[in-house]
Amino acid sequence: MKKLVLAAALTAAASTAYAGSLAEPVVEAPVIVEEASGSSTGVLLPILLLVIAAAALS
């Protein structure tokens, strides 16, 4: 009975010893999708504000 318990204990200890490894985990980089936009998108708002300011001053 002692040999059976000892064998079971050694088997359990040996199986947990190989549970992990020292290799670095492989992590995939997240995919970032950026939508293309026109170059005039940032210019439209200031021009519109200038037109409204000019109309308000006249």
Side-chain angles (χ1 to χ4, degrees):
M1 185 71 176
K2 286 183 182 180
K3 289 183 181 181
L4 182 63
V5 172
L6 182 62
L10 289 175
T11 303
S15 64
T16 57
Y18 294 107
S21 67
L22 296 177
E24 292 291 324
V26 177
V27 179
E28 295 182 13
V31 177
I32 301 173
V33 178
E34 190 171 326
E35 294 183 20
S37 62
S39 61
S40 65
T41 304
V43 180
L44 185 62
L45 184 62
I47 291 175
L48 184 62
L49 290 175
L50 279 174
V51 169
I52 291 173
L57 290 175
S58 343

